[in-house]
Amino acid sequence: MEWRDEIWGRLHKDWDVIVIGGGVTGAGILAVAVRLGLTVLLVEKGDFGSGTSSRSSKLVHGGLRYLKNMQVQLTRESVMEREHLLSVAPGLVEPLGFIYPVYKSNNTNPWLIQLGLEIYTHLAPDVGKYRRLDKIDLGLMAPGLRAKDLERCFYYTDAQTDDARLVVRLLQDALSEAKGNALALNYCKVTGFLKQKERVNGVQIEDTMTGEKAEVHGKIIINATGVWADELRSKVGGDRRLRPLRGSHLYFKFERLPVYQAIAFSHPDDCRPVFVYPWEGVTLVGTTDVDHLFPLDDEPSISLEEADYLLRAVQYVFPELDLTREDVISTQAGVRPVISKGKKDPSAESRDHAVWNEHGLLTVTGGKLTTFRLIALDALRKAHKMDKRIPAPEDSLHIFERPEPSPSFLSELEPTLRRRLLGRYGKKAYEIFLLLRDFPSPIEETPYFWAEIIWSARNEAICHLDDLLLRRFRIGILLPDGGIGLIPKLKAQVQDSLDWNDEQWAKEVDRYEQILEVAHGLPPQWKKRGRS
Ligand code: FAD
């Protein structure tokens, strides 16, 4: 792959900042560092966003439930970031209405929920307050939603995004702004550190595609490896601080579970919050919060208990839809990097981020997708304390530019598509627009067009088929067969751009099918037992 050789040839300089990890945290740090005029190298051992940042609930939110744990500061910051992202990244971050029914059987005091919503909506007063819904509103807004035992019902707004696309958009905008002063390389693992007088000043890296190795120096080395952070910290003597907590989701066909806003409710088993919401043409149900005791490098997958738990939740709240495991089209599990405070209940652990300096290795972990900008600012402030050649960022440093009025060339597009393309691709939307003239068809019932996937195969650092079908686009989780039926057409459209011969193509399809089965399939016991 020529583009990889080209990047590999430019690695050898003394970088201001080396970022390890290409999830939302690493991508945010790269973006802020570029804004500060620094030279930055980011290396990611898998694909960009392939860790937790493509497996989240995709909500850009304050986290109403964090108020219950008295994390008011985290909630306030998250709400402010949500508002900011809605204003600068429309089409990528979109508002989402939430209906919150409280049932008698929930054992929850509706006054407390109302108080929580009062505080929550007060944190961003411009957005408007929550309001109460009656049974008539509910019947119109969420047909089929359980009305029995309903004590009270509320409505408020938050937002949602495509998490993996958010990561790529952050990287693409930053790399084009940096004009050669920043590089980001996927499938490149940090295997060890270089030190001078016991202080980390560089990394040993290995290209996981070719096995090629190199050593690269930097003024500041930032470990943004999320749930893997302890692994790298242990190389400089760090103790274990993270508690990996898995959260899983079920994806349903929209026709079987048609919701037009999110439904937030308490699970009938344990009163944990569960959400059901529309996303990219399907309906998502999540999530869980359980200790993840498997090797971190194995693809995380939903357990039988989690799948049953989520199905019970949705059956409870939509009793008339007669939903069964056969209505589930795919699943997804991700592992949260949570800093352990030793709480018994996983959901009681704080979702705050932390930054630690250990022998010159700056580790940034924990936190949320929503607050990636604040986490990046915090990391670079700490970097400034360690090395005054790194400027300290201002609080007001913004990553995405407020969009200009739509460029006139896009005016012939339907407004929703125009907004979506600008949100997902920023300034590159023009290139997709040109391709849309030749490839105007949508890809089955997904929100994507062939023009997008063809452009992505040519331009978005695709090394494996799963990069294309699971992260740049979410076809693998949106279509019931993971999009396997599309493969022949896809081959005809992108094989040349990817420069894979037939043997390589076949290997990629095998790899993709295996990942689908392990990470996005139904629990094996569900397949055996059939309907429930
Ligand atoms: P990651 O995305 O995991 O990135 C770390 C990267 O480091 C990985 O890609 C990994 O491959 C790479 N790496 C590891 N070791 C090395 C190495 N040696 N060399 C090079 N690279 C390496 N937040 C929200 O705001 N809203 C939500 O709705 C939400 N829902 C969630 C639901 C679930 C189920 C989960 C699990 C999390 C959720 N979160 C949510 C939290 C959010 O997803 C995470 O906080 C965030 O994605 C973490 O990003 P990260 O970049 O720190 O980690």
Side-chain angles (χ1 to χ4, degrees):
M1 289 180 195
E2 271 172 39
W3 61 269
R4 287 186 73 81
D5 295 341
E6 198 256 326
I7 293 186
W8 201 257
R10 290 167 53 205
L11 289 180
H12 297 280
K13 64 178 182 189
D14 199 356
W15 297 91
D16 290 327
V17 180
I18 297 178
V19 183
I20 314 165
V24 74
T25 305
I29 293 170
L30 175 111
V32 169
V34 163
R35 280 279 151 104
L36 293 174
L38 299 169
T39 61
V40 199
L41 169 68
L42 179 149
V43 286
E44 159 58 54
K45 76 172 175 176
D47 184 29
F48 301 124
S50 61
T52 309
S53 299
S54 55
R55 304 167 199 251
S56 78
S57 299
K58 293 133 192 31
L59 298 175
V60 175
H61 63 158
L64 181 56
R65 79 184 179 88
Y66 305 134
L67 280 180
K68 201 172 128 197
N69 298 345
M70 302 308 285
Q71 291 181 268
V72 181
Q73 177 66 3
L74 175 66
T75 312
R76 204 185 80 81
E77 287 176 350
S78 307
V79 165
M80 300 313 287
E81 287 306 293
R82 177 196 71 196
E83 288 314 295
H84 172 63
L85 285 168
L86 279 168
S87 74
V88 294
L92 178 61
V93 179
E94 292 285 13
L96 179 66
F98 278 69
I99 294 174
Y100 193 153
V102 184
Y103 298 102
K104 289 188 184 111
S105 47
N106 287 159
N107 253 344
T108 316
N109 185 340
W111 288 106
L112 274 182
I113 309 248
Q114 189 159 348
L115 178 66
L117 279 166
E118 188 79 52
I119 299 170
Y120 192 63
T121 48
H122 187 73
L123 295 172
D126 296 347
V127 185
K129 268 171 71 92
Y130 73 93
R131 61 192 164 92
R132 276 188 63 179
L133 300 179
D134 60 25
K135 282 196 176 166
I136 297 172
D137 294 328
L138 211 57
L140 291 171
M141 292 168 77
L145 186 71
R146 180 185 193 89
K148 191 172 163 221
D149 288 342
L150 184 71
E151 225 181 345
R152 201 162 291 194
C153 190
F154 304 99
Y155 180 85
Y156 66 99
T157 53
D158 254 321
Q160 67 176 177
T161 188
D162 174 343
D163 46 5
R165 178 51 63 179
L166 172 66
V167 172
V168 172
R169 165 98 200 264
L170 278 169
L171 292 174
Q172 280 174 352
D173 279 18
L175 293 178
S176 51
E177 182 178 335
K179 300 197 176 66
N181 282 326
L183 290 178
L185 188 59
N186 51 358
Y187 297 99
C188 181
K189 178 174 181 170
V190 167
T191 53
F193 294 109
L194 309 173
K195 288 183 190 162
Q196 191 181 32
K197 294 187 190 155
E198 285 310 298
R199 187 185 184 278
V200 173
N201 73 342
V203 290
Q204 295 165 320
I205 53 175
E206 181 176 335
D207 185 326
T208 60
M209 307 282 294
T210 61
E212 194 171 343
K213 295 188 169 81
E215 295 190 342
V216 194
H217 286 91
K219 294 186 183 79
I220 292 286
I221 314 297
I222 304 185
N223 170 15
T225 56
V227 77
W228 288 267
D230 279 350
E231 225 170 72
L232 284 181
R233 290 180 50 248
S234 71
K235 293 184 192 292
V236 294
D239 52 343
R240 213 176 134 214
R241 293 189 184 167
L242 290 177
R243 178 174 182 186
L245 292 176
R246 187 174 66 248
S248 299
H249 295 85
L250 300 177
Y251 288 74
F252 288 78
K253 258 197 164 213
F254 183 79
E255 297 81 75
R256 284 295 290 131
L257 184 48
V259 291
Y260 298 88
Q261 11 249 329
I263 315 293
F265 60 101
S266 298
H267 196 291
D269 291 1
D270 57 6
C271 285
R272 271 197 65 257
V274 179
F275 300 110
V276 177
Y277 47 100
W279 182 75
E280 301 287 61
V282 296
T283 302
L284 246 166
V285 179
T287 178
T288 55
D289 209 2
V290 295
D291 282 302
H292 184 73
L293 305 172
F294 300 96
L296 293 176
D297 282 346
D298 292 355
E299 287 280 342
S301 55
I302 191 167
S303 69
L304 174 65
E305 291 72 26
E306 288 173 287
D308 283 341
Y309 173 89
L310 291 175
L311 185 59
R312 271 200 307 283
V314 77
Q315 286 169 334
Y316 168 79
V317 82
F318 285 102
E320 288 160 22
L321 296 185
D322 192 24
L323 292 161
T324 73
R325 54 183 65 158
E326 282 165 18
D327 295 312
V328 176
I329 52 177
S330 62
T331 65
Q332 169 202 289
V335 187
R336 300 177 183 87
V338 171
I339 295 141
S340 179
K341 296 267 162 45
K343 305 264 184 193
K344 196 165 163 238
D345 173 9
S347 300
E349 294 278 21
S350 161
R351 277 13 181 192
D352 272 324
H353 75 277
V355 186
W356 304 302
N357 171 8
E358 289 156 309
H359 304 284
L361 176 67
L362 197 63
T363 294
V364 190
T365 188
K368 296 170 60 188
L369 191 86
T370 308
T371 49
F372 71 85
R373 188 187 71 94
L374 299 180
I375 297 174
L377 292 179
D378 197 15
L380 282 153
R381 263 182 223 122
K382 301 272 168 24
H384 168 73
K385 282 195 182 145
M386 288 163 67
D387 186 328
K388 292 289 180 285
R389 289 171 293 178
I390 307 291
E394 302 280 331
D395 282 353
S396 58
L397 186 148
H398 290 312
I399 294 178
F400 292 123
E401 295 292 350
R402 210 166 285 274
E404 294 155 14
S406 252
S408 56
F409 58 81
L410 292 179
S411 60
E412 50 187 272
L413 291 178
E414 185 268 319
T416 318
L417 177 59
R418 185 167 62 215
R419 178 181 170 100
R420 185 177 160 88
L421 292 183
L422 282 168
R424 291 176 65 84
Y425 304 100
K427 291 189 177 133
K428 310 258 181 204
Y430 179 58
E431 297 174 25
I432 317 268
F433 165 73
L434 292 181
L435 271 178
L436 267 172
R437 292 176 176 171
D438 294 330
F439 304 98
S441 330
I443 302 178
E444 297 200 350
E445 63 266 38
T446 70
Y448 313 121
F449 286 81
W450 281 100
E452 292 177 79
I453 210 163
I454 290 168
W455 180 83
S456 175
R458 294 176 188 165
N459 295 290
E460 293 200 309
I462 305 300
C463 298
H464 290 292
L465 196 55
D466 44 291
D467 303 343
L468 199 59
L469 296 183
L470 283 171
R471 285 172 292 278
R472 302 304 176 275
F473 304 92
R474 318 308 295 271
I475 289 171
I477 43 180
L478 296 181
L479 291 181
D481 62 352
I484 289 293
L486 288 173
I487 299 270
K489 183 162 181 197
L490 185 70
K491 184 175 185 223
Q493 301 287 12
V494 303
Q495 188 180 5
D496 283 353
S497 311
L498 294 169
D499 203 14
W500 295 341
N501 60 27
D502 284 348
E503 192 191 338
Q504 234 173 324
W505 182 272
K507 271 194 196 154
E508 286 298 331
V509 174
D510 271 357
R511 173 185 152 109
Y512 176 60
E513 285 181 327
Q514 277 173 31
I515 296 175
L516 275 186
E517 172 81 20
V518 176
H520 301 291
L522 310 188
Q525 300 88 335
W526 267 23
K527 288 185 219 156
K528 278 191 224 135
R529 282 201 244 136
R531 237 180 112 81
S532 161

